[in-house]
């Protein structure tokens, strides 16, 4: 079992910035991928950003010019820097990962991000 612990969620103003962190219990290079997901009330869970086994990073189109995912191998941590936040970014943000392709097998507890309008 891989343990993932998110932190950094908060209430922020429109246009503000916030950085989320996900700490893993295993060497993150052993994972096929690790990513950030979010789920807003009444909406489907969606991928926000992901780093894959070849070290490439993909972003959802709506955030690609505003969010930045980073990997800190020695600290077994990935982060998500969020800038120019809008109310549509309000959601519970989850860290998810797997040793193989497909849906995440491991999830963190989630952290709430709320953007005021």
């Amino acid at each position: 079992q891989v343990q993932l612990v998110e932190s950094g969620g908060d209430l922020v103003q429109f246009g503000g910035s916030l950085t989320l962190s996900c700490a893993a219990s295993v060497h993150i290079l052993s994972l096929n991928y690790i990513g950030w997901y979010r789920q807003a009330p009444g909406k489907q869970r969606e991928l926000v950003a992901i780093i894959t086994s070849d070290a490439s990073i993909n972003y959802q189109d709506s955030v690609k010019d505003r969010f930045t995912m980073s990997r800190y191998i020695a600290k077994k941590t990935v982060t998500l820097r969020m800038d120019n936040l809008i109310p549509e970014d309000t959601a519970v943000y989850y860290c998810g990962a797997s040793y193989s392709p497909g849906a995440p097998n491991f999830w963190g507890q989630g952290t709430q991000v709320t953007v005021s309008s």
Side-chain angles (χ1 to χ4, degrees):
Q1 181 80 5
V2 175
Q3 294 179 322
L4 304 168
V5 180
E6 305 98 329
S7 61
D10 206 351
L11 171 65
V12 299
Q13 297 183 55
F14 181 95
S17 297
L18 195 62
T19 298
L20 308 181
S21 294
C22 171
S25 63
V26 300
H27 185 28
I28 59 176
L29 293 180
S30 70
L31 298 165
N32 182 265
Y33 65 86
I34 185 166
W36 287 100
Y37 304 77
R38 67 185 181 186
Q39 187 164 24
K43 297 188 69 176
Q44 299 285 325
R45 183 182 63 187
E46 61 183 5
L47 177 67
V48 178
I50 187 168
I51 184 165
T52 54
S53 57
D54 64 355
S56 65
I57 301 174
N58 292 325
Y59 297 94
Q60 182 191 131
D61 286 344
S62 66
V63 309
K64 65 182 176 64
D65 295 321
R66 301 186 294 122
F67 292 9
T68 302
M69 186 175 183
S70 298
R71 182 175 70 181
Y72 301 92
I73 295 171
K75 298 197 297 184
K76 296 187 290 187
T77 296
V78 296
T79 63
L80 185 70
R81 171 77 180 188
M82 303 182 292
D83 295 310
N84 302 124
L85 285 161
I86 58 177
E88 288 78 10
D89 296 319
T90 295
V92 178
Y93 284 70
Y94 297 92
C95 186
S98 180
Y99 284 118
S100 60
N105 300 120
F106 312 106
W107 294 98
Q109 81 286 356
T111 186
Q112 176 72 47
V113 173
T114 302
V115 184
S116 62
S117 60

